[in-house]
Amino acid sequence: MPGPEQQVPADGDRAPRPARPEESADVIVVGAGPAGSTAAYHLARTGLDVLLLEKSAFPREKVCGDGLTPRAVKQLTDLGIDVSEQAGWLHNQGLRLISGRRVLEFDWPELSAFPGYGLVRRRADFDELLARRAASAGARLVERANVAGPLVDERTGRITGVTAKLGDERRPVSYRAPVVVAADGNSTRLSVAMKRYRRTDRAMGVAYRTYFTTPRHEDRYLEAWLDLRDPTDPARRLLPGYAWVFGMGDGTANVGLGVLDTADIDLDWRDLLRRWCEGLPPGYGYSPDAVTEPVRGSALPMGLNRRPHYADGLLLIGDAGGTVSPGTGEGIAYAMESGRYAAETIVQALARRTDRGRELALAAYPQALRSAYAGYFALGRLAADLLGRPRLLGAAGAVGLGHPALLKVAFRLMVNLTEPNSKDALDRLLHLVGRVAPGR
Ligand SMILES: Cc1cc2nc3c(=O)[nH]c(=O)nc-3n(C[C@H](O)[C@H](O)[C@H](O)COP(=O)(O)OP(=O)(O)OC[C@H]3O[C@@H](n4cnc5c(N)ncnc54)[C@H](O)[C@@H]3O)c2cc1C
């Protein structure tokens, strides 16, 4: 059994680096979820000394829908991870949208930037794979290192490291680095301790999921049911969100729902999910007895809702920086992408010769996030808002949404897989609108 401070041996791209004082590094990354492990991998690959601090020990559970779009596949491939079916991944070929009685299947487009397939994998397995990959690139992964707070230079207000409690005995330790990355997820205690508060004018989502045994476990489409309704409302109003069923390929499906958490919705989400599952057609094989895990959920921090993404030596990535897409609740691809943007920025910054140069380089990170996501996230928010306001979609509400043309727009909006030079006019239009939409 490895001790809490024991490093995972480097078994991949590079030999273990020469011993340095355990308490300092070039960069500290707090949290080894998809965001943190991706950042640590790209940093370590350039030869920087990276400490990746994770409070739990792998494998550990993370509540999720386990669905990965082609955006996430691209990030995994960039990490050099074998995503073949032989390596245990279930491939999917697109998204099935269901609205009213309308069922439409949309295949993932094959694009120059993204592959034409998505994946499904349980997070216990997935997150461990990414963390070990970062370690194999040279990052010093420390499990059971619960970061308690920042070390701050009182004169400048700059973060200079973190304090942590190690292992079961919760031994206090300090780690120092000129740059720290908060990748500690939705609650991001590190960001809060550095006074990075959540913006209340940004969307927040909420999502819950469970698993049940089903004959449809090898479904080649991720399935989204768009007309999710409030069963406690006499008019059964539409909710701004959707329910999903993702076959896991292991005899079970992940079933869940994600909704924009707006002030006028006060529902028991667990109960809503159970009631929704009971309405599934018989072919899904759902019954309360088929459920294999408790219903669990958490908040989805969306639309870049915590800022600034860089200041005083601290960068925010993934859920810590609110990178979940408001249109879909997809978070893994954006967590990984933001981790990569942050890593590339830090590599440039640490090569500068002056403090001013370093700060200038680091300021590029929030700009990169804004130009990549602000427009698309604003569009996604709009689309989700429309879903919750059936009158805006015409008196038919979800039936109106069931129109094939609208479902096609919904699909394109949801997946954010457009290219400027696409031959498809809708594709080009959405790409353009996503670029110019007023995201701040
Ligand atoms: C029910 C549900 C379903 C979802 N379904 C999908 C889906 O199907 N597809 C998708 O793309 N996204 C989905 N998401 C969103 C996705 O799970 C997140 O966006 C994603 O996990 C964000 O990755 P992250 O690395 O930023 O944060 P996390 O995955 O939360 O990782 C944070 C890490 O930091 C560690 N940590 C926290 N505090 C500390 C500390 N003090 N010290 C050290 N380490 C710490 C945690 O242990 C964890 O390992 C879903 C979310 C929910 C709630």
Side-chain angles (χ1 to χ4, degrees), residues 67 90-98 103-108 116 118-120 216-225 244-248 253-254 284 411:
L90 183 65
H91 286 208
N92 55 65
Q93 68 190 68
L95 191 61
R96 180 180 304 118
L97 293 183
I98 302 176
V103 181
L104 284 182
E105 288 176 350
F106 296 95
D107 285 358
W108 304 119
L119 302 165
V120 167
R216 295 173 62 95
H217 68 105
E218 282 187 321
D219 193 350
R220 290 288 161 163
Y221 286 87
L222 298 179
E223 189 169 277
W225 294 64
W244 70 78
V245 183
F246 298 163
M248 299 300 301
N254 181 315
Y284 286 74
F411 169 70

Side-chain angles (χ1 to χ4, degrees), residues 355-377:
D355 288 353
R356 183 168 169 277
R358 183 184 62 189
E359 290 307 298
L360 266 176
L362 287 167
Y365 170 62
Q367 283 166 17
L369 282 189
R370 264 199 304 281
S371 64
Y373 304 137
Y376 167 67
F377 283 178

Side-chain angles (χ1 to χ4, degrees), residues 127-196:
D127 286 26
E128 174 162 27
L129 198 67
L130 266 63
R132 303 278 175 235
R133 188 72 194 139
S136 78
R140 291 191 278 153
L141 170 64
V142 188
E143 296 174 62
R144 292 191 284 157
N146 193 342
V147 169
L151 291 166
V152 179
D153 179 334
E154 282 183 8
R155 196 175 46 85
T156 60
R158 209 181 156 82
I159 191 167
T160 56
V162 296
T163 59
K165 302 265 169 44
L166 284 187
D168 291 338
E169 62 278 22
R170 297 181 59 74
R171 188 160 62 79
V173 62
S174 299
Y175 296 107
R176 293 190 181 272
V179 182
V180 177
V181 179
D184 48 348
N186 169 42
S187 53
T188 189
R189 277 173 41 204
L190 185 61
S191 306
V192 174
M194 288 295 287
K195 302 193 171 46
R196 307 286 195 283

Side-chain angles (χ1 to χ4, degrees), residues 206 208 239 257 259 261 265 267-273:
V206 63
Y208 279 79
L239 294 169
L257 54 83
V259 182
D261 198 5
I265 302 176
L267 287 171
D268 176 343
W269 302 115
R270 287 186 176 81
D271 181 56
L272 178 63
L273 180 57

Side-chain angles (χ1 to χ4, degrees), residues 283-307:
Y284 286 74
Y286 176 83
S287 76
D289 291 343
V291 171
T292 57
E293 288 187 31
V295 177
R296 293 216 172 92
S298 73
L300 296 174
M302 300 175 150
L304 304 177
N305 74 348
R306 199 182 292 276
R307 296 207 178 152

Side-chain angles (χ1 to χ4, degrees), residues 6-26:
Q6 195 166 332
Q7 292 164 30
V8 175
D11 58 7
D13 313 297
R14 57 180 66 240
R17 65 186 72 252
R20 288 178 51 149
E22 179 95 323
E23 295 76 18
S24 71
D26 295 324

Side-chain angles (χ1 to χ4, degrees), residues 4 66 115 146 150 378 402 426:
D66 307 319
N146 193 342
L426 175 62

Side-chain angles (χ1 to χ4, degrees), residues 31 34-35 54-55 60 64-65 67 123 145-147 298 300 318-319 331-332:
E54 168 55 46
K55 75 173 175 191
R60 60 109 179 85
C64 191
R123 287 291 298 271
N146 193 342
V147 169
S298 73
L300 296 174
D319 279 12
I332 295 170

